Amino acid sequence: MVALSDTILKHLENNGAYVEALFADIVKAFDSLDHNVVVEEARAMGARPFVVRMLASFLFERSQCVQLPDHEPSEFVNIFCGSPQGTKLGPLSFLIVFNRILTTIRERFKFADDLTVLSLRLSPPTTEQSDLIKIYHDLKAELGKVKLAVSETKSSYMTFSFLKGNNHSSHNSILPTKKTVKILGILLDDDLRWNSHVDYLTKKGASLLHSFSNLKRFGTPTEVLKSVYCSYVRPSLEYACPAWHPGLTKDQTDRLETIQKRAVKIILGQNYSTYEDALKQLNLDSLDSRRHGLTYRFGLNCLNSPAHCRLLPNFASPPTGGPVTRLRQIKNNCPQLLTCSAYSTERYRKSFVPYFTRHFNNIDATNI
């Protein structure tokens, strides 16, 4: 999600730039996975023969039956498709097939069965159909070859542009055009301002607090209430925060902080005086402070990861000397400061890469 938003925002730094996005939904992706296709794709990608045989043994000759309450089970029937749930080889079997889809497209972002494809343009499309329509037809054709299908009703099309009057849905006559999509649990607006996601989080937090307040009525001890809040309510307000925390406005930050203010009032009851005092009593940090820490630690993990360090500037590989975990070691192994390309829009400045770069460069390793 961080890579997706960074790609969009970085491209929109260009004057008149325009981004089209295809959010593809696969029809019953894991349930429709053909076992023969998995084995053939594993063989085609160069898997060793004993690995192919092991995968075939895992998938083939499976059967299932159905049993309703107070009824005898049905007869067992052999199944020839579907990825077994609850196993490590199940998702891997799906990825063997799905990772070979649209490999020629550079701007594609995948997580499990979620696929997002971008078309980066320096001006709005002037032809009758957008670039993504052709990509969409290619996607349908490639999925058909492996006996999968894309859902035309659940897949969607979105345009991103900082130009006034961002409305080019007429170029797309197949997919539904949306202003907001939910991807990996995050609501993404076409203006990249995170209003819909903050609305979603505040409503969800308020709903969780309603159930949480019932515990107080039953005389639940303060420490137990705090534990429940920290493990049940707060994580929902911090999910995937590196993707969206840097772009929050003060008003959005205050709205999210209100959820924790209500929570500590419930926990302390009559002992509550002020929010700052309540945080000290319960030994809690503000949500804004926690999200900053989580975002910064995510950046350090990226810096130390061969797979994800490319998100950050100046590093094509992890710091010298092998993997490191402490910030002092990272700064000593990477004495040069991270450099971020110049930005011309406030929305890109308030995104993850510039945000992390600024804070990383401002930390003195000698004081850690």
Side-chain angles (χ1 to χ4, degrees):
M1 190 65 197
V2 168
L4 172 65
S5 59
D6 183 69
T7 300
I8 296 172
L9 286 166
K10 189 178 295 183
H11 181 70
L12 293 180
E13 287 283 282
N14 300 300
N15 286 333
Y18 183 85
V19 178
E20 298 176 286
L22 165 65
F23 300 93
D25 182 87
I26 312 302
V27 178
K28 295 184 178 180
F30 289 93
D31 294 336
S32 303
L33 191 65
D34 187 277
H35 297 166
N36 289 311
V37 172
V38 175
V39 173
E40 290 302 320
E41 289 293 328
R43 185 179 289 113
M45 68 185 294
R48 295 182 178 182
F50 82 90
V51 174
V52 176
R53 290 195 298 270
M54 180 186 68
L55 191 59
S57 176
F58 173 72
L59 294 172
F60 292 167
E61 297 182 2
R62 287 183 173 270
S63 59
Q64 67 182 22
C65 71
V66 177
Q67 183 176 14
L68 299 176
D70 302 324
H71 288 76
E72 293 295 323
S74 65
E75 294 184 1
F76 278 87
V77 177
N78 292 331
I79 56 175
F80 304 98
C81 62
S83 177
Q85 298 183 11
T87 65
K88 292 184 178 180
L89 277 179
L92 181 61
S93 300
F94 176 79
L95 292 178
I96 288 174
V97 176
F98 196 58
N99 279 354
R100 294 168 65 85
I101 301 297
L102 295 182
T103 54
T104 59
I105 305 299
R106 180 181 177 183
E107 283 78 24
R108 60 168 189 157
F109 302 84
K110 299 191 280 73
F111 184 84
D113 61 334
D114 287 305
L115 173 64
T116 302
V117 182
L118 300 181
S119 173
L120 309 180
R121 309 175 61 96
L122 294 178
S123 62
T126 57
T127 57
E128 183 177 354
Q129 290 188 327
S130 69
D131 295 339
L132 284 187
I133 299 302
K134 179 182 182 301
I135 295 176
Y136 176 72
H137 288 302
D138 292 341
L139 173 63
K140 289 180 65 176
E142 291 191 27
L143 287 174
K145 293 177 181 178
V146 294
K147 301 182 180 180
L148 294 174
V150 61
S151 172
E152 292 189 2
T153 56
K154 294 184 178 180
S155 298
S156 57
Y157 170 89
M158 179 181 281
T159 62
F160 299 92
S161 175
F162 294 158
L163 299 174
K164 292 184 178 180
N166 174 24
N167 182 18
H168 299 282
S169 60
S170 59
H171 298 291
N172 165 41
S173 58
I174 298 178
L175 300 175
T177 301
K178 295 185 178 180
K179 291 287 189 180
T180 303
V181 296
K182 190 172 187 179
I183 175 172
L184 301 179
I186 299 177
L187 291 178
L188 183 65
D189 294 328
D190 63 353
D191 59 4
L192 300 169
R193 293 185 185 275
W194 305 112
N195 289 319
S196 296
H197 190 60
V198 172
D199 290 342
Y200 168 74
L201 290 180
T202 52
K203 290 178 182 178
K204 184 177 182 178
S207 176
L208 292 174
L209 285 183
H210 178 72
S211 302
F212 177 72
S213 63
N214 291 331
L215 296 175
K216 181 70 173 181
R217 298 191 185 98
F218 289 107
T220 306
T222 299
E223 285 302 316
V224 175
L225 286 172
K226 175 186 171 182
S227 178
V228 172
Y229 167 73
C230 291
S231 58
Y232 179 61
V233 180
R234 190 173 65 183
S236 66
L237 304 175
E238 298 173 340
Y239 170 74
C241 63
W244 49 269
H245 167 70
L248 295 183
T249 64
K250 184 180 184 304
D251 177 67
Q252 291 169 333
T253 299
D254 292 342
R255 289 178 59 194
L256 292 173
E257 204 70 43
T258 300
I259 302 298
Q260 182 161 275
K261 289 181 181 179
R262 292 174 55 188
V264 297
K265 284 183 180 180
I266 294 172
I267 294 173
L268 294 177
Q270 296 180 349
N271 295 325
Y272 178 87
S273 56
T274 65
Y275 180 55
E276 291 73 18
D277 181 61
L279 293 181
K280 292 180 181 178
Q281 288 187 57
L282 297 173
N283 193 26
L284 294 174
D285 294 322
S286 67
L287 291 181
D288 181 57
S289 176
R290 278 185 55 84
R291 289 195 307 271
H292 169 74
L294 291 170
T295 301
Y296 193 79
R297 286 197 292 274
F298 175 80
L300 294 181
N301 290 336
C302 289
L303 193 64
N304 194 38
S305 167
H308 302 114
C309 62
R310 296 178 183 85
L311 282 172
L312 300 172
N314 277 2
F315 295 99
S317 60
T320 59
V324 292
T325 55
R326 298 184 58 191
L327 179 58
R328 185 195 301 274
Q329 292 173 285
I330 291 178
K331 293 295 289 247
N332 289 338
N333 289 334
C334 304
Q336 74 272 28
L337 297 179
L338 295 173
T339 57
C340 192
S341 57
Y343 38 78
S344 59
T345 63
E346 183 70 7
R347 267 172 278 192
Y348 181 59
R349 189 187 76 85
K350 296 176 65 176
S351 64
F352 168 75
V353 173
Y355 179 90
F356 173 76
T357 300
R358 290 195 302 274
H359 289 285
F360 181 84
N361 291 347
N362 288 336
I363 289 183
D364 183 0
T366 60
N367 294 326
I368 299 172

